[in-house]
Amino acid sequence: MSETVTEREVMEYDVIIVGAGPSGLACAIRLKQLKPDLMVAVIEKSAEVGAHILSGAVIEPGPLDELLPGWRDNPPPVCVPVERDELSYLTATSKRKLPTPPQQKNHGNFIVSLGALCAWLAPQAEAVGVDIFPGYAASGIFYTVDNAVGGVIIGDMGVDRDGQPKDTYMQGIEIHAPLTVLAEGCRGHLSKQLISKYELDKESDPQCYGVGIKELWQVDAGKCKPGLVQHSIGWPLDKSTYGGSFIYHLDKDRVAVGFVTALDYSDPEFSPFEAFQQFKHHPEIKPLFEGGEILSGGARTIIEGGSQSLPRVDMPGALLIGDAAGLLNLPKIKGTHQAIRSGMLAAVHIADKGSADGFDAALRSSPVMKELHKVRNIRPGFNKGLWRGLITAGIETITAGKLPRTLHNHADHSSLRNLSDTKTIDRHWVKRDLAPRDRLASVYFAATEHDEDQPVHLQILEPDICITRCGEEYNHPCTRFCPANVYEIVEDEQADAGIRLQINAANCVHCKTCDIKDPYQIINWVTPEGGSGPNYQNL
Amino acid sequence: MKILVGIKRVVDYNVRIRIKPDGSGVDTDGVKMSINPFDEIALEEALRIREAGMAEEVIVVSLGDNACQQQLRTGLAMGADRAIQVGAPASLQPLTIARAFMEVINREKPGLVLLGKQAIDGDNSQTAQMLAALWDRPQATFASKMSLEEDIATVTREVDAGLETIEVDLPAVISVDLRLNEPRFVKLPDIMKAKRKPLDVLSLDDLGVSIENDIQFKHHEPPPVREKGIMVEDAAQLVAELKNRGLV
Ligand SMILES: Cc1cc2nc3c(=O)[nH]c(=O)nc-3n(C[C@H](O)[C@H](O)[C@H](O)COP(=O)(O)OP(=O)(O)OC[C@H]3O[C@@H](n4cnc5c(N)ncnc54)[C@H](O)[C@@H]3O)c2cc1C
Ligand code: SF4
């Protein structure tokens, strides 16, 4: 496409924030509160703010109180105070209640839709003078001559599958700013490039992740108990896989149900989507959903590495905040309060210092980090299985993380076992009859949309490996770990091996599982045309 | 010449429509809203006419509550010169809308009015036709191709039998179909420029139009769910099954 490349149009701002999630919006609002004259822009790849956000979500309100003291008088549209917590251990046929660990006590917290919360925050940011641009993906970094981050490049629009401009072609612009804040959430596409370019993770453990799949249900009248927060561990996961379920009871007979599986699972035949659907069919769970209807659904990865895996969060001209940095508190399964807090902290730093320099130290000496440090050994404790993990969790909780030891994390993509070393695990999975029937049916509830005539945004760096090595070693795990059925192995007489990998990119819900879990690290998720992707409603 | 373009805020075409459990209407809670796709095509056409030097000003008009200002701003970002919101409840019936447009026409004196052939929410396809009658000017509906010369518009219409090309004298009302053009993407700096373009707010009272609801909605119901199919082994079984169900 070289003949069409002309000088890009440029817009200038004082601060450009990538991602209108809780961290990005909190940073933008606090910046304008501190320095009303700063020009602040927020770029968001979803067509509307909140449409790519999927979370639980039970949130701790403290940081929101700090950001917007009057928010409780004008609450977001979905906001139910937590009434009661319940934690259970499941086997395939039974459910046993466990005492709720202190991290999971939710008194004073609220059940919200984080997508709806962000859509509610956005106009408040605009009211203080922030420019928000939904429908535009930041596809690249603009570097200054000194090799510092100098802003972002917005993706071109109207490019066909082969990279040629269509009639509607519109060249993306550059947004230049002395400071760029990466608030892309878990496994950010630009954050990943920057972490690697500036070797920000040189001194930290590899990052680790989970994938969360969620549905919002309208259940039969009388079944929903507003304010009830339920979690489970155990079945349908085997004891060596970390994860569990959540069921949050909202208002108006709406119930959010989801399942999070750590992406360091080892069985190549495992399917996180199937595990979630199986969970819904547990004899103690299924009655809640029978007769109900799915309102919306989708998937998103969750960052689990905590303090050991936290990369350096500043670099020349840019900072990382929220889940783009990796600040989620896993034992609490909460990242929103940390995202908002880190966004505000970044704003204070920028307003004070006017540069990224020193933000890493500021964050590490803040309450954000203190909270992560306390729980640092809980997640890696589960690397030795469920029971030993629970014991570690107990010890670390009682001692508030004060024991002078730090357990380590390993990379998720290296954890799959070869087919030849894998025994088939009997998971006691049942025949399902609740919706959705399969992943294609489930994508429908994500209302995901990509123009088919655009470059495939899932780049396979070495396609040969897929057909040969990966088939033999792992039997194409991408066809199972993707919750949206994007990857399919199809027969093809023209191909040498008689099969080929088909990528149904239009189904992608931007969860980023493939970018993380693919065992050879040859799948690269890049931003599709701005405005493409899921259109989540109240997730 | 001025061109007036109608813009309606509707549930986005990608959204899965759901009826509220009590049957009182479509659930729009947390749902993505957009410019009615046909109206976007109408606006694109108006912009192309202006860019070809055959019009001086493109005005986008929407009737609705303040939420519709979002769609008007998008219209301004696409390139319209100014916008008029006629404050009104979000759901009005075609005759009231046509009457309000008529009053806007009296004020603005456009040479051309471009509307979508229908809005994808109510699918009424009536406003353009009613407006032409009220205005007592020619109409060309379902345009899939159009060109202007002096005071005449040549319009190719999509009709049941195929395509029909007609000429109408301007001023006229033209309602546009899907194949007329492909609307442009909005350039990011234009969103900023749109914030500074004029958006006037009028009320139905200002225009002297009263709301008439000739149609009353009693109840909304989703279409029945399709029953599970069966796989037949061969043609013989297919025939047997169809006979069984009294379908042949
Ligand atoms: C299943 C699940 C359950 C969870 N449950 C809870 C819970 O109960 N409580 C809790 O507190 N937390 C929970 N979390 C975590 C919480 O959702 C995150 O911590 C929080 O969303 C992080 O906020 P963020 O602003 O860092 O990123 P995000 O919320 O992920 O927002 C990032 C935004 O940036 C946009 N974006 C990304 N890249 C680009 C780009 N290149 N260009 C333009 N835009 C871009 C995205 O579209 C998105 O809108 C859960 C997470 C998951 C997945
Ligand atoms: S293709 Fe990748 S990012 Fe898209 S839905 Fe599948 S796993 Fe998630």
Side-chain angles (χ1 to χ4, degrees):
Chain A
M1 228 174 51
S2 55
E3 68 273 20
T4 63
V5 174
T6 50
E7 198 113 303
R8 291 170 180 274
E9 209 173 316
V10 174
M11 274 171 99
E12 310 254 1
Y13 276 90
D14 294 317
V15 181
I16 163 91
I17 299 172
V18 183
S23 64
L25 290 170
C27 182
I29 292 173
R30 182 48 49 109
L31 270 170
K32 289 298 265 187
Q33 289 170 340
L34 294 168
K35 286 212 160 165
D37 292 342
L38 279 186
M39 299 262 295
V40 180
V42 181
I43 295 293
E44 170 55 54
K45 66 181 159 69
S46 59
E48 294 207 315
V49 172
H52 285 183
I53 294 201
L54 179 144
S55 187
V58 175
I59 62 160
E60 283 185 17
L64 200 54
D65 287 332
E66 225 180 286
L67 180 70
L68 298 168
W71 76 271
R72 288 168 195 250
D73 303 329
N74 154 37
V78 184
C79 187
V80 181
V82 176
E83 297 288 338
R84 199 152 55 84
D85 283 294
E86 225 180 76
L87 174 66
S88 332
Y89 174 74
L90 298 186
T91 67
T93 51
S94 74
K95 169 174 161 181
R96 203 155 7 108
K97 286 219 173 111
L98 299 176
T100 309
Q103 298 92 353
Q104 284 190 14
K105 290 221 165 89
N106 281 304
H107 184 74
N109 295 342
F110 292 88
I111 312 176
V112 299
S113 148
L114 193 59
L117 184 136
C118 290
W120 161 91
L121 266 181
Q124 305 192 55
E126 287 178 315
V128 291
V130 177
D131 292 336
I132 305 181
F133 300 109
Y136 296 88
S139 67
I141 295 284
F142 165 74
Y143 294 101
T144 65
V145 281
D146 313 325
N147 208 19
V149 177
V152 296
I153 301 169
I154 306 299
D156 296 347
M157 308 240 214
V159 178
D160 76 8
R161 224 179 155 76
D162 304 318
Q164 296 301 313
K166 297 190 273 192
D167 288 347
T168 51
Y169 175 73
M170 185 183 77
Q171 194 186 34
I173 65 161
E174 284 173 14
I175 303 186
H176 292 182
L179 271 169
T180 303
V181 178
L182 283 306
E184 297 178 283
C186 183
R187 194 73 165 189
H189 153 67
L190 299 178
S191 312
K192 175 179 149 184
Q193 288 172 29
L194 292 170
I195 290 171
S196 143
K197 179 181 164 83
Y198 294 108
E199 299 183 336
L200 302 174
D201 57 354
K202 202 167 49 185
E203 280 159 27
S204 48
D205 283 0
Q207 189 52 268
C208 49
Y209 304 86
V211 55
I213 307 174
K214 174 183 168 181
E215 291 161 4
L216 180 67
W217 279 71
Q218 178 93 46
V219 298
D220 282 347
K223 286 182 179 173
C224 168
K225 306 197 168 49
L228 176 61
V229 165
Q230 297 173 297
H231 289 114
S232 77
I233 54 173
W235 189 85
L237 298 181
D238 55 85
K239 300 220 168 30
S240 65
T241 306
Y242 182 72
S245 75
F246 61 87
I247 300 182
Y248 300 153
H249 296 243
L250 297 156
D251 50 4
K252 301 184 198 155
D253 297 313
R254 292 179 298 182
V255 169
V257 53
F259 200 90
V260 178
T261 308
L263 283 176
D264 64 350
Y265 68 80
S266 58
D267 177 2
E269 297 289 350
F270 179 76
S271 154
F273 175 83
E274 187 57 32
F276 171 43
Q277 299 305 335
Q278 287 291 325
F279 162 75
K280 279 164 46 194
H281 286 76
H282 188 279
E284 297 277 341
I285 308 294
K286 190 177 172 192
L288 176 60
F289 301 107
E290 273 168 326
E293 160 189 25
I294 303 184
L295 301 179
S296 55
R300 180 79 171 97
T301 46
I302 182 164
I303 196 146
E304 301 192 338
S307 65
Q308 296 90 312
S309 301
L310 187 71
R312 193 188 162 102
V313 296
D314 59 19
M315 68 207 95
L319 343 151
L320 302 169
I321 59 173
D323 280 358
L327 298 171
L328 179 125
N329 179 329
L330 190 63
K332 284 187 183 171
I333 351 173
K334 291 189 185 66
T336 310
H337 65 295
Q338 293 275 85
I340 296 177
R341 253 194 211 154
S342 62
M344 290 194 289
L345 203 66
V348 171
H349 184 84
I350 293 170
D352 274 3
K353 303 272 170 4
S355 98
D357 223 24
F359 180 61
D360 189 66
L363 183 84
R364 284 177 202 270
S365 59
S366 76
V368 175
M369 201 58 186
K370 214 168 279 156
E371 172 167 339
L372 284 189
H373 186 74
K374 257 198 228 167
V375 298
R376 71 192 180 284
N377 287 328
I378 298 187
R379 170 69 189 87
F382 284 89
N383 291 343
K384 299 233 164 67
L386 179 64
W387 300 122
R388 290 180 66 178
L390 286 173
I391 293 168
T392 313
I395 297 172
E396 293 291 325
T397 303
I398 293 164
T399 59
K402 291 211 180 77
L403 291 185
R405 59 164 184 176
T406 295
L407 304 176
H408 289 282
N409 292 326
H410 49 244
D412 294 329
H413 62 83
S414 59
S415 64
L416 278 188
R417 268 197 307 260
N418 265 14
L419 280 180
S420 51
D421 316 331
T422 311
K423 284 195 297 283
T424 314
I425 302 175
D426 181 7
R427 299 183 181 276
H428 306 283
W429 283 3
V430 298
K431 212 166 160 264
R432 302 192 272 108
D433 50 19
L434 288 173
R437 192 175 55 251
D438 52 20
R439 285 180 289 176
L440 269 188
S442 120
V443 166
Y444 173 69
F445 295 105
T448 193
E449 202 261 332
H450 295 79
D451 187 340
E452 301 257 2
D453 192 15
Q454 65 171 304
V456 174
H457 72 282
L458 300 142
Q459 302 174 337
I460 310 288
L461 308 178
E462 293 175 60
D464 287 349
I465 293 188
C466 296
I467 298 306
T468 52
R469 255 183 85 189
C470 187
E472 285 158 24
E473 294 182 347
Y474 305 109
N475 190 22
H476 313 293
C478 59
T479 61
R480 289 174 295 278
F481 59 58
C482 168
N485 206 26
V486 167
Y487 302 96
E488 277 184 289
I489 296 288
V490 294
E491 285 178 19
D492 182 351
E493 283 169 16
Q494 252 119 62
D496 290 345
I499 54 167
R500 71 183 160 82
L501 176 66
Q502 175 173 306
I503 303 179
N504 310 311
N507 288 351
C508 176
V509 297
H510 299 198
C511 74
K512 319 261 177 101
T513 303
C514 52
D515 194 280
I516 296 164
K517 186 63 179 167
D518 129 50
Y520 308 97
Q521 289 295 280
I522 52 172
I523 300 181
N524 192 28
W525 188 99
V526 301
T527 46
E529 189 168 89
S532 317
N535 286 293
Y536 290 149
Q537 261 164 269
N538 290 331
L539 290 183
Chain B
M1 180 174 78
K2 279 186 196 175
I3 305 178
L4 214 63
V5 180
I7 283 201
K8 186 173 187 188
R9 173 183 166 92
V10 296
V11 173
D12 187 85
Y13 70 96
N14 284 312
V15 169
R16 210 170 44 85
I17 298 294
R18 224 185 123 256
I19 305 290
K20 287 187 196 155
D22 65 0
S24 63
V26 170
D27 191 357
T28 52
D29 177 25
V31 165
K32 181 180 168 198
M33 307 294 285
S34 305
I35 299 183
N36 175 41
F38 295 110
D39 300 349
E40 205 178 349
I41 293 168
L43 174 55
E44 175 67 33
E45 198 63 22
L47 296 173
R48 290 184 188 184
I49 294 171
R50 190 194 61 197
E51 284 157 5
M54 287 182 287
E56 287 79 49
E57 194 179 30
V58 174
I59 308 166
V60 282
V61 185
S62 186
L63 277 81
D65 55 22
N66 287 347
C68 80
Q69 290 189 3
Q70 195 191 344
Q71 279 61 45
L72 288 173
R73 287 281 172 215
T74 307
L76 292 172
M78 275 177 74
D81 299 286
R82 60 193 173 92
I84 300 174
Q85 178 204 354
V86 180
S91 62
L92 289 176
Q93 290 176 12
L95 188 55
T96 310
I97 301 173
R99 290 211 162 107
F101 264 102
M102 191 57 234
E103 292 308 317
V104 177
I105 289 174
N106 285 337
R107 291 171 173 226
E108 300 287 347
K109 311 258 181 304
L112 176 63
V113 176
L114 281 168
L115 300 175
K117 70 162 181 178
Q118 69 200 65
I120 60 169
D121 50 4
D123 277 346
N124 285 317
S125 191
Q126 295 170 8
T127 305
Q129 295 87 329
M130 288 176 171
L131 178 59
L134 290 173
W135 195 12
D136 200 17
R137 291 300 309 169
Q139 57 176 297
T141 48
F142 317 134
S144 65
K145 213 171 135 195
M146 60 179 282
S147 60
L148 300 185
E149 213 168 325
E150 300 282 315
D151 291 338
I152 293 174
T154 307
V155 178
T156 302
R157 308 176 58 224
E158 301 217 353
V159 291
D160 288 347
L163 298 174
E164 175 189 271
T165 303
I166 60 170
E167 284 184 354
V168 290
D169 291 333
L170 297 180
V173 179
I174 298 180
S175 84
V176 311
D177 214 321
L178 197 64
R179 270 173 280 269
L180 182 60
N181 61 47
E182 197 179 334
R184 65 195 63 193
F185 292 106
V186 174
K187 275 171 89 169
L188 211 142
D190 292 342
I191 297 178
M192 296 311 296
K193 285 182 200 144
K195 290 191 180 173
R196 292 188 293 269
K197 289 185 182 174
L199 191 163
D200 295 327
V201 182
L202 301 173
S203 69
L204 283 175
D205 279 348
D206 295 339
L207 298 177
V209 174
S210 54
I211 298 179
E212 279 171 67
N213 284 337
D214 307 332
I215 307 160
Q216 276 179 23
F217 289 94
K218 296 283 188 206
H219 188 73
H220 293 72
E221 223 171 277
V225 208
R226 243 184 61 194
E227 278 184 34
K228 231 179 175 169
I230 58 162
M231 291 297 255
V232 289
E233 297 287 331
D234 50 26
Q237 196 195 346
L238 175 66
V239 174
E241 285 291 338
L242 288 175
K243 277 201 177 134
N244 234 336
R245 288 160 208 226
L247 295 170
V248 285

